Amino acid sequence: MKLQIKFFAAVLLIWVAAPSWLQAQCDGFSYEFLDGNQVSARFTAGTDRFWNLVDAPSYEVPRGSGKDVSFASGLWIGGLDPTNSLHVAGATYRQAGNDFFTGPIRQGTAYNCGRGFTTPYNCLKDGMLVLQSGKIASFYPYGFQVYDPLTQTSIQRILPNDFAKFKAVELPNGDLVLVSWALTLSDISVAMVFDANGFPMPQPDTLLVGHPRADAVVMANGKVLVAGYLGTEIYDPVAHVTTFTAGNPLVPGFFRSVSLPSGKVWVTGSNDSALYDPATDTWSAAPVLNGASRPLLTVLPGGDILLSGGAIPTAATLRYNPSSNTVVAGPTFPEPMTDHATAVISATELMVSQGLPGQVTNDIFVLDLVSGAVRSLRFTYAALPIAFDGINIVSGLGNGDDFVYIDPTTGTIRDQRWQDVWKVSKLQVQQFRQDFASQSVNFANYSDIGSWPGNGNVWAGEDAQLAPYIDMDNDGIYDPLHDGDYPCFPGDLALWWVYNDDGLHTETGGAPLGVQVENLAYVFDCNVSPCPDTALDYTTFYHVELTNHGQTDLHDVMIGNWMDVDLGNYSDDYVGCDSALGLAFVYNGDANDETQSGYGLNPPAFGAVILPNGEIDAMGAMTYYENDFSVIGNPENAAQFYGYLRSSWKDGSPMVNNGLNGYLPAGAGSNTNFAFSGDPGFCGGSATGWSEASAGRQPFDRRLLQSVGPLTMGVGQEVALDYALVYSRSMSNDNLGNVCLLKSDAAAIKNWWSGSMDRECLSLITAKPDAQAAAPLSVQVFPNPNHGDFTIDFSSPQKQAVGMKLHNLQGQVVWEGQLNVGKTSLDVATDGLASGLYLLQMTDGQTRMSQKVVITH
């Protein structure tokens, strides 16, 4: 195992806790294998290619051999803006930093990848609410923010000095009521009502007394019961007046309360509780709490209330039954706790967070309310508090400054869809098309086809068209459910993922370029399709689409394919290139690749060959560097990363063909862009030119950088890079003879790709609809998410009736309706639909549109 892996565990704890910035700060570890032929190549959702994070194959060939030809690979890109300022992004192992982030670039809105937004320190300290609108409010000293997950935008409100701490509740109409805590008994608490329509700052209302550690609950009559140390009062958020309740029988202290279906409010204190009836302004007795002091109250499915934690650490819980007005023992938590947060995630499950902001590693566990069984989810990001939006757990990051969406089943982050690498095969697509034609599609069998990211979220500033697809009705909308659209890719198996560099660069330290990188990796499997050349069965292909979504034009742009090419035993490698062929390669330093990880006798050669696509047709440079920190070693700043892309060393001196290592003082050799460009392998005659073999260099652990350019990339300009990774080995060749075989195989692959290969899906990675196609309907669904009642609103009166169907993810129609001619909106009321994701399909007979609808309860 190489040194890079050994560093990972220690660095990860620092890296994952880093704050998110304005754009695209997502750190993804979702991965897939491109394993359709004799290769098993690992890809993560970010820029990491091959790097082995969990003792699985990196770039294993032949598949199943346990031998790898490359340990890691990544993209480098650098260029100059009109002021000649340098912009650089690079990826090696993401140990000490990160320049690339999962997902497409978003224009004009914060990109948070499932996190809410960057907020002041301890932004979650005073709690979190999932609002009826589906927006998420988080609260912190002297402020709060409301985040819209549909647009991924947020608003912030700074509160008066009274609100160092406060309690927030949502009214039935969606307005927010904030009640300040009194810091001392002599202070006076205040209340503020924020209109849900934009949450403008209101005038505060003064309450009757101060309420240290106040609790507030919305009652059935729409008024708010405020319970604090000095008593209880009723605040009317409409009339903006407040009155004391009748005498509270509870011992003065710190209270928690919950509104009951009966209309009464159950208030708990230090080992005592009471019922308040707002209809009669009276209190009645309720059970003692068996020693519980100000426990957390959680309303369970069925109406019982769970009491847990509190002022006294305890693993025991209690269960209050409002119908019988009794308290009994509840399930036991796995450890004692005081402050914690809970969220009911199903009819039988409760999720509990016991993390605190500022902690790096915390526990979330799921408690089975029937059996009492506990399922622990060790989760680096989680922090108290948590909330549940019907699909996701929303929780704070370990640093307490941001929040994330969490899958309640696995405890993993749902950083939107961009944490994924999509994997599709030709056979899978063929079967999908047959099933769709026979109306028998089960999308459980086609998860990556169903979720294929053909369209970005244009409302959040993403590109409308992303992953390539066949658009059956040419409406510009990827809709496999209703139209039978399906992914478009060459070969027999393909992966697609996207990332960008629009964030703080901690790998190179360079200024961002604002480049979006769409990746398609594919193979031809000779067991599935006849291969014109056996080399295809050992080759993987790559189409990389780069778009300048930054704010400035770029010139002298260099794009690099960086690889830590470890041919079996990583310590005895040579590197070289064939500049005319566009091939950069690695081969063994002798005829025997030793150690258990080595290939043994007759070791193979492996390389990357540029495939001419009309935009980038040739290799512009091939550089190497040593795995050390010498002047020809690992780059340590942005200028050095860019220098290697331009074939210059860390001290700025050019690479020279000096018959040795390429580095000598100026004037000691002829400048070159191509390291070790000679023939080391007696291909067609005697070995000629400058190679590591001819220089007699000591084999070592080297890095290889294959560059293309220089290019210009104006704002909005796209450029495509195509290349193939080729493996060649004949047991009749030695290490040098297999270099000759690699050159022959690479030339054959290049000629076949340029000539007879079907490249339809590569002509434009962002498949666009026909220019003559009718424009889609302009429509908005709100609120979304919702509780089953929502409005469908069109931008103008419709000239034709619009038919509508709401489908579940199994394709079943669960609601139908119609917007009549001349109307602009339709109110929808569904009855009994389960929480989940639905697809609303609309058509006026000419154009068609699909809209996702999220229902939560």
Side-chain angles (χ1 to χ4, degrees):
M1 186 175 291
K2 296 187 69 177
L3 186 60
Q4 286 77 10
I5 288 291
K6 295 177 183 177
F7 287 155
F8 178 74
V11 175
L12 179 61
L13 296 180
I14 301 172
W15 174 40
V16 297
S20 63
W21 294 74
L22 177 63
Q23 293 277 358
Q25 301 296 301
C26 294
D27 306 318
F29 287 105
S30 300
Y31 63 90
E32 277 290 357
F33 288 97
L34 191 64
D35 52 2
N37 53 9
Q38 293 300 317
V39 178
S40 181
R42 178 189 177 93
F43 297 85
T44 66
T47 186
D48 297 321
R49 301 190 293 247
F50 320 147
W51 184 28
N52 182 345
L53 300 177
V54 291
D55 289 332
S58 299
Y59 193 103
E60 182 189 44
V61 55
R63 182 153 56 105
S65 67
K67 311 297 183 185
D68 292 315
V69 292
S70 183
F71 178 75
S73 178
L75 177 77
W76 290 16
I77 181 169
L80 305 175
D81 64 24
T83 67
N84 288 325
S85 296
L86 179 61
H87 299 254
V88 174
T92 54
Y93 315 98
R94 303 211 309 181
Q95 288 178 240
N98 186 25
D99 284 3
F100 291 102
F101 313 98
T102 53
I105 284 179
R106 288 183 163 166
Q107 303 289 347
T109 182
Y111 182 66
N112 303 287
C113 311
R115 303 178 188 176
F117 36 77
T118 301
T119 59
Y121 180 68
N122 281 338
C123 75
L124 304 174
K125 190 171 184 178
D126 291 330
M128 180 190 305
L129 285 177
V130 177
L131 305 178
Q132 300 169 45
S133 64
K135 298 176 182 179
I136 299 165
S138 65
F139 310 101
Y140 47 87
Y142 307 113
F144 72 94
Q145 295 199 29
V146 178
Y147 169 64
D148 186 341
L150 292 179
T151 63
Q152 295 210 349
T153 58
S154 61
I155 62 171
Q156 180 184 18
R157 296 290 177 258
I158 305 301
L159 301 175
N161 290 337
D162 310 78
F163 288 83
K165 290 179 177 292
F166 55 92
K167 173 75 177 194
V169 293
E170 185 183 19
L171 297 175
N173 65 358
D175 291 352
L176 273 180
V177 174
L178 275 53
V179 176
S180 71
W181 287 9
L183 299 182
T184 70
L185 293 178
S186 61
D187 291 336
I188 298 296
S189 293
V190 298
M192 300 177 74
V193 183
F194 286 84
D195 192 309
N197 185 21
F199 301 93
M201 284 294 294
Q203 290 295 318
D205 296 321
T206 302
L207 300 184
L208 298 176
V209 294
H211 293 285
R213 295 179 69 94
D215 192 40
V217 63
V218 180
M219 298 185 292
N221 59 13
K223 297 179 181 180
V224 179
L225 180 70
V226 181
Y229 191 88
L230 295 180
T232 52
E233 54 184 298
I234 299 175
Y235 172 64
D236 187 331
V238 177
H240 299 278
V241 296
T242 181
T243 58
F244 276 123
T245 69
N248 184 349
L250 299 176
V251 175
F254 304 127
F255 304 120
R256 292 187 191 270
S257 51
V258 62
S259 186
L260 303 177
S262 65
K264 296 181 180 181
V265 179
W266 188 48
V267 183
T268 66
S270 299
N271 197 39
D272 55 357
S273 69
L275 288 167
Y276 175 69
D277 187 343
T280 59
D281 190 25
T282 58
W283 292 83
S284 58
V288 295
L289 304 183
N290 298 330
S293 177
R294 201 172 183 267
L296 179 68
L297 306 181
T298 305
V299 180
L300 302 178
D304 280 6
I305 298 168
L306 186 74
L307 294 75
S308 56
I312 303 172
T314 179
T317 69
L318 300 173
R319 197 162 177 155
Y320 173 64
N321 185 312
S323 299
S324 62
N325 195 26
T326 58
V327 168
V328 297
T332 301
F333 284 175
E335 59 186 271
M337 60 184 62
T338 53
D339 287 339
H340 62 293
T342 59
V344 175
I345 62 174
S346 74
T348 60
E349 289 187 316
L350 178 74
M351 182 167 277
V352 182
S353 167
Q354 53 189 317
L356 296 174
Q359 292 181 355
V360 175
T361 303
N362 309 286
D363 277 337
I364 291 181
F365 63 86
V366 177
L367 175 70
D368 189 306
L369 296 168
V370 177
S371 68
V374 171
R375 174 164 51 92
S376 182
L377 300 171
R378 194 72 177 169
F379 191 63
T380 303
Y381 287 84
L384 177 147
I386 57 177
F388 185 56
D389 68 359
I391 300 174
N392 305 293
I393 288 291
V394 186
S395 176
L397 280 172
N399 61 5
D401 293 351
D402 307 301
F403 61 79
V404 295
Y405 291 100
I406 302 170
D407 184 330
T409 302
T410 64
T412 55
I413 287 182
R414 281 180 172 166
D415 279 64
Q416 307 298 334
R417 53 183 176 172
W418 304 121
Q419 293 296 91
D420 289 334
V421 176
W422 285 264
K423 183 175 184 177
V424 289
S425 70
K426 177 188 289 186
L427 294 178
Q428 187 183 45
V429 167
Q430 289 172 346
Q431 187 62 53
F432 167 78
R433 297 185 68 188
Q434 292 177 17
D435 290 352
F436 186 84
S438 62
Q439 299 183 345
S440 61
V441 174
N442 180 356
F443 275 91
N445 300 327
Y446 303 107
S447 59
D448 280 8
I449 293 178
S451 65
W452 185 257
N455 302 125
N457 184 351
V458 294
W459 294 277
E462 297 172 359
D463 287 342
Q465 306 294 329
L466 286 170
Y469 61 93
I470 299 300
D471 191 355
M472 297 297 289
D473 63 350
N474 209 30
D475 64 353
I477 299 173
Y478 180 71
D479 187 358
L481 179 65
H482 302 100
D483 299 339
D485 299 341
Y486 57 90
C488 186
F489 57 93
D492 297 300
L493 180 70
L495 308 179
W496 191 93
W497 70 107
V498 59
Y499 56 85
N500 68 86
D501 85 311
D502 199 11
L504 180 67
H505 289 194
T506 53
E507 171 84 9
T508 64
L513 300 96
V515 170
Q516 178 173 296
V517 185
E518 299 168 47
N519 303 268
L520 186 68
Y522 57 99
V523 294
F524 293 84
D525 192 333
C526 296
N527 294 318
V528 176
S529 304
C531 289
D533 193 299
T534 57
L536 271 178
D537 212 23
Y538 294 85
T539 299
T540 57
F541 294 84
Y542 305 85
H543 179 83
V544 183
E545 190 87 8
L546 302 100
T547 306
N548 179 4
H549 277 309
Q551 304 302 311
T552 183
D553 297 338
L554 300 169
H555 64 90
D556 288 298
V557 174
M558 300 294 295
I559 303 169
N561 173 33
W562 171 89
M563 286 196 290
D564 179 357
V565 278
D566 292 347
L567 195 72
N569 176 11
Y570 68 86
S571 64
D572 63 348
D573 294 341
Y574 280 158
V575 296
C577 73
D578 185 324
S579 58
L581 186 57
L583 175 69
F585 56 84
V586 58
Y587 59 107
N588 211 62
D590 56 36
N592 184 18
D593 190 27
E594 303 87 355
T595 75
Q596 183 178 357
S597 63
Y599 278 90
L601 297 172
N602 313 98
F606 173 72
V609 60
I610 301 297
L611 302 173
N613 60 18
E615 292 185 72
I616 297 175
D617 295 333
M619 184 167 65
M622 200 294 278
T623 315
Y624 82 99
Y625 62 87
E626 308 281 12
N627 183 21
D628 58 28
F629 289 92
S630 66
V631 71
I632 60 171
N634 297 298
E636 300 175 74
N637 57 49
Q640 292 172 3
F641 274 83
Y642 186 65
Y644 276 136
L645 285 165
R646 299 298 299 262
S647 300
S648 62
W649 300 110
K650 290 168 64 175
D651 62 359
S653 62
M655 184 168 60
V656 294
N657 182 347
N658 56 15
L660 298 173
N661 64 359
Y663 176 78
L664 277 178
S670 57
N671 294 355
T672 181
N673 289 332
F674 302 100
F676 308 120
S677 55
D679 174 15
F682 305 97
C683 301
S686 61
T688 57
W690 176 38
S691 70
E692 290 210 77
S694 66
R697 302 194 70 220
Q698 181 69 32
F700 190 52
D701 180 21
R702 297 197 169 91
R703 311 294 185 263
L704 178 155
L705 182 65
Q706 179 186 48
S707 304
V708 297
L711 309 167
T712 58
M713 290 185 68
V715 173
Q717 183 177 346
E718 299 176 350
V719 62
L721 168 66
D722 288 277
Y723 65 96
L725 298 182
V726 185
Y727 165 96
S728 299
R729 187 185 193 186
S730 170
M731 298 308 289
S732 62
N733 288 331
D734 61 8
N735 57 316
L736 303 182
N738 277 323
V739 173
C740 299
L741 179 61
L742 174 68
K743 291 186 177 185
S744 175
D745 287 344
I749 292 292
K750 185 174 183 177
N751 291 335
W752 173 80
W753 188 92
S754 301
S756 58
M757 196 199 93
D758 182 1
R759 300 197 302 278
E760 176 187 1
C761 298
L762 305 182
S763 59
L764 188 63
I765 195 79
T766 52
K768 297 183 185 298
D770 189 283
Q772 301 303 316
L777 300 169
S778 176
V779 66
Q780 181 182 14
V781 175
F782 66 89
N784 197 8
N786 56 73
H787 297 306
D789 298 332
F790 55 90
T791 298
I792 305 171
D793 185 68
F794 292 78
S795 59
S796 60
Q798 295 303 293
K799 297 180 180 179
Q800 290 87 26
V802 180
M804 306 177 190
K805 293 182 180 181
L806 189 67
H807 301 256
N808 61 23
L809 290 185
Q810 287 71 48
Q812 299 167 324
V813 177
V814 296
W815 173 87
E816 290 187 64
Q818 177 175 293
L819 180 75
N820 294 326
V821 175
K823 299 295 184 181
T824 60
S825 65
L826 180 68
D827 292 328
V828 177
T830 62
D831 183 22
L833 291 183
S835 296
L837 179 65
Y838 294 82
L839 192 68
L840 177 67
Q841 187 179 45
M842 297 157 282
T843 180
D844 60 5
Q846 296 180 347
T847 60
R848 155 183 245 181
M849 184 174 184
S850 297
Q851 174 77 39
K852 292 179 181 178
V853 177
V854 178
I855 295 178
T856 65
H857 296 290

